[in-house]
Structure formats: C-alpha cells, structure tokens
Amino acid sequence: MSHRPIYLDCHATTPMDKRVLEAMLPYFTEYFGNSSSISHVYGWEAEAGVKQARQILADAIHATPEEIIFTSGATEANNLAIKGVAEAYFSKGRHLITVQTEHRAVLDPCHYLENLGFEVTLLPVQQDGLIDLTQLEKAIRPETILVSVMAANNEIGVLQPLAEIGKICHQQQVLFHTDAAQAIGKIPLDVQAMNIDLMSLTAHKVYGPKGIGALYVRRRHPRVRLAPQIQGGGQERGLRSGTLYTPQIVGFAKAVALGLETQASESEHLLQLRKSLWSSLSELPNIHLNGHPTQRLSGNLNISVEDVDGSALLLGLQPVVAVSSGSACSSTNLGPSHVLLALGHPESLASASIRFGIGRFNTAAEITQVAKQAIATIASLRRSLTLRRQ
Ligand SMILES: *Cc1c(COP(=O)(O)O)cnc(C)c1O
C-alpha cells in the first residue's frame, strides 16, 4: 500500500470510511432480509435499517422521509429527475434549462430529450464558473418545466448560488433540480430554505459505498409529479422499483451522518491543505486557478499550466500522486474538459490542467510532497520545451 501514489482524486470517488463499513456489515449476513417482506422478522429488520437511513438522509437536507427515493447513484437520480419531469409535464411545456458546466449525467439526458422534441437552453457560465442570475431569469419562458443547476462542480468545485436560483424558480413556478453529488455532507443543503424541488445525491463522494444514491422529490408546495424510469415491484412509491440494497443504504446514511457531524472542522482542514498547495504552486509563473477563488468546495484545487503538454504533466505526476485532468467520467473522451472550455479557456490551456481533490484522510505532509513533485515536473517540462524551441 505504501508504494502507491498519494490519492488526491476525491471528486472521482472517495475511500470508504471504516466506520461506514462497520455499519454496513451486519446487513449483509445477519439482517439480510428483503425490506419488502412484511410477514416475518427478517423483512422487518431490513425495513428498520432502511427506515432509519431514510430519516437520517431526509434530516440532512431538511426533507421528509417519504421524499427520499433510493437509486443506484447520482447518475440514475439525474436521469429520473430530468426524464421523469419531462414525461410528466410535457403537456405543460417542453423547455428545460441547464448549464454548460453540468456533469454528463445531466447533459446527456437533456440531449436525449432534445432528440424527442424538447428544447434545452444551455446557460453559459462567467469566467469564475458561476452562472449569471439575470441570464437565468431571462431564459425562463411560460413553457419552461425544469431548471437544473448543480450544487458543486465536480471539476472546478464551484458552488452555484442555490438559494438565489431556487428563489427565481419558485417565483416563476418552474421546478428546480440540483445535482448535489459533490455537495452532500460537505456544505449545508436545505431544500426548504433553498426552494429545491428535486435533488440528486450519491454516497461514494462522501466516504460511503459506490452504487447507492437518492433523489429527493418534493411532496408539498408543490407536489412534484414524476414518471418512473424503472418499473416493476413498486418499491419507493412506484418511482423506482427493485429490491432495496439494504447494506448500501445503511452505509450511505452513515457516511452522510459522519459528514454532517464534522462538516465545519473538516472543511477547515481541507481549506488549510488546499491553501498550502496553491501557495506553493502559485509561486511558479503562468499558472492559473480555475473557478471562483473562494466560492468553491474546500477540497478542490483546479489549475491550468501554461507551456506544458497536458498528458506529459499527468504522466510526470503519476508515480507520486493520483490526480486527473478534467473529470473521471469524461476521461474516456480525450478532448479538453467541457467545463474548462466553458470558462473561456483556449484548448491548449484547457488540456494542460490538473484537478486536485483533497479528502478527509489526506495530511499536510502529503500535500508538501505533492507540491514538490508538481513544481519539479512543471519546471522540467518547461525546460525541455525551451530546449526544443532553441
Ligand atoms: C460523481 C458525480 C455524478 C455521478 O454519480 P454516480 O453516483 O457515480 O452515478 C453525477 N454528478 C456529479 C456532479 C458527480 O460528481
């Protein structure tokens, strides 16, 4: 283990907290029942675990337990929210609004709907990655049925102004969905105060297990209608059929509970590490910070480096630190990140970028080591470039 590089890719996924694993274990072997089995104690035990988890997750976002629909993750939750609303409200209107810097799990369902005859407005972002609220207001039309804006960006960590967006949507009577995959357990989320109607969540970005997430669906003021995308046994009020994955659900709730308990102190810890990394790296010339300097996740640092080749840079860092350029999800397509391009970067600069995702278990010593390696790699790549040019 000690020979593996330092893990700084926490926006792709996080290591699972051992306390989460402990909470999950009895639900694999002992409380293994099907939570839908109502005629015996095995079912009741599983149902009790699910019920408690649902309550914890609802409390975490100021919702009620009936408003939490378990899914396989944020990708499925986004698909259910976007396609489910489109299918339920198409007679009211066929226009949706989202943002250029959204995750593919939001953009792709929107593109799919475009092929079915819906119209999608993709809002641009400002240079700091934030949307312009006046532009949002102007984009809303009588036939708009959904606005989808993410809480925290998975590449540049930028936090969109959820409460302000929610207020606009509420006034215009348009449903507001937010992809909060990177935000849950890390920043305060309140579906009441922020006027959020649908919210996608996932466990594995907050030290929980992979393969579990949820969609919050508002039941009152207004009651959101949704067409199910997976049909069958009628679990989750018919909105998402399939036997509930009890151990993952229990682990998800434990992870979020731990995140909330330590939110303030952990955020401060991550902020110190990020500041230390940036203060070292920014001593080099021609290095740019991507995204708003303060309105961002504490553990996120995204930089673009001039005068280096992007893939050579990642290769040079690889033995010491596990990071990525753009997002893990789009790393299969080799082009520059759509998020960095949306900030207005030229392709060359968007390609030579590193996303550092600092997490709960990283230490100051690790950050020092990473900073050293990054500085050495960048300096050496720039030297060889200058030599080649001579
Ligand atoms: C990771 C991520 C997703 C996908 O979540 P899964 O649970 O892996 O499906 C969606 N949106 C954002 C912003 C993410 O960071």
Side-chain angles (χ1 to χ4, degrees):
M1 292 285 277
S2 58
H3 297 297
R4 292 158 82 206
I6 295 163
Y7 189 79
L8 285 188
D9 204 7
C10 283
H11 302 304
T13 194
T14 51
M16 203 164 78
D17 194 301
K18 290 195 170 61
R19 293 168 289 182
V20 171
L21 178 63
E22 257 164 48
M24 291 169 67
L25 282 175
Y27 287 88
F28 285 104
T29 48
E30 198 175 343
Y31 309 132
F32 61 85
N34 184 325
S35 62
S36 300
S37 302
I38 53 170
S39 55
H40 52 70
V41 69
Y42 296 90
W44 305 336
E45 287 163 354
E47 171 53 20
V50 170
K51 190 176 174 197
Q52 193 189 9
R54 208 186 287 281
Q55 185 71 56
I56 291 169
L57 292 165
D59 288 345
I61 59 169
H62 301 259
T64 62
E66 301 75 37
E67 295 175 313
I68 302 294
I69 305 298
F70 287 111
T71 65
S72 62
T75 300
E76 189 191 326
N78 286 339
N79 273 267
L80 176 57
I82 294 164
K83 295 179 193 165
V85 162
E87 211 180 314
Y89 289 86
F90 75 95
S91 55
K92 177 175 181 256
R94 301 183 187 192
H95 178 238
L96 297 88
I97 299 172
T98 186
V99 185
Q100 284 177 355
T101 51
E102 291 290 313
H103 192 276
R104 289 271 305 275
V106 164
L107 294 175
D108 287 2
C110 286
H111 291 148
Y112 169 83
L113 289 174
E114 272 183 320
N115 291 332
L116 294 182
F118 286 82
E119 211 185 322
V120 178
T121 298
L122 275 186
L123 292 175
V125 292
Q126 304 168 110
Q127 237 176 10
D128 59 11
L130 293 170
I131 64 163
D132 177 343
L133 292 168
T134 347
Q135 267 182 345
L136 168 65
E137 257 184 307
K138 280 191 195 144
I140 296 176
R141 317 174 193 161
E143 63 272 22
T144 308
I145 51 174
L146 184 71
V147 168
S148 181
V149 181
M150 72 202 315
N153 188 275
N154 52 300
E155 293 191 34
I156 54 176
V158 162
L159 308 176
Q160 298 290 356
L162 295 185
E164 285 82 352
I165 298 168
K167 196 170 160 199
I168 292 170
C169 292
H170 192 69
Q171 280 166 354
Q172 310 273 342
Q173 298 193 356
V174 176
L175 296 179
F176 174 31
H177 166 250
T178 187
D179 176 351
Q182 297 282 348
I184 180 71
K186 294 174 195 157
I187 59 165
L189 293 171
D190 184 334
V191 295
Q192 301 309 340
M194 294 169 165
N195 283 302
I196 294 164
D197 299 307
L198 299 129
M199 182 191 281
S200 300
L201 305 174
T202 192
H204 76 99
K205 310 278 174 73
V206 62
Y207 316 97
K210 294 171 186 55
I212 188 71
L215 180 66
Y216 155 76
V217 185
R218 179 178 285 282
R219 295 250 281 173
R220 295 180 65 213
H221 311 300
R223 182 188 183 91
V224 176
R225 286 180 292 129
L226 212 54
Q229 303 299 305
I230 295 182
Q231 293 160 325
Q235 288 90 347
E236 302 301 85
R237 300 191 293 113
L239 289 176
R240 205 291 192 173
S241 287
T243 303
L244 291 182
Y245 196 178
T246 327
Q248 308 299 97
I249 288 171
V250 168
F252 181 14
K254 181 71 182 178
V256 168
L258 289 171
L260 290 185
E261 260 170 45
T262 53
Q263 205 165 72
S265 58
E266 185 159 298
S267 179
E268 188 51 38
H269 166 69
L270 296 178
L271 196 60
Q272 290 313 317
L273 297 183
R274 184 236 284 171
K275 278 185 177 165
S276 130
L277 184 55
W278 177 233
S279 79
S280 306
L281 295 178
S282 57
E283 279 175 23
L284 289 171
N286 301 328
I287 292 207
H288 308 277
L289 175 70
N290 294 318
H292 195 282
T294 54
Q295 199 166 325
R296 66 195 296 145
L297 290 170
S298 314
N300 176 279
L301 182 70
N302 189 311
I303 60 167
S304 284
V305 186
E306 281 183 44
D307 307 322
V308 299
D309 173 61
S311 44
L313 178 58
L314 277 185
L315 210 63
L317 293 176
Q318 228 168 51
V320 171
V321 55
V323 286
S324 53
S325 64
S327 77
C329 326
S330 53
S331 55
T332 40
N333 64 45
L334 292 167
S337 139
H338 71 281
V339 174
L340 298 182
L341 292 178
L343 299 184
H345 286 346
E347 277 204 18
S348 57
L349 200 55
S351 312
S353 66
I354 317 171
R355 175 185 69 173
F356 296 98
I358 309 166
R360 179 176 292 169
F361 304 111
N362 290 119
T363 63
E366 287 178 332
I367 296 298
T368 308
Q369 201 184 333
V370 169
K372 251 191 205 163
Q373 178 71 17
I375 289 169
T377 306
I378 293 166
S380 126
L381 288 173
R382 281 178 175 170
R383 257 198 314 278
S384 58
L385 193 73
T386 327
L387 286 176
R388 255 185 286 144
R389 276 181 186 161
Q390 279 168 357

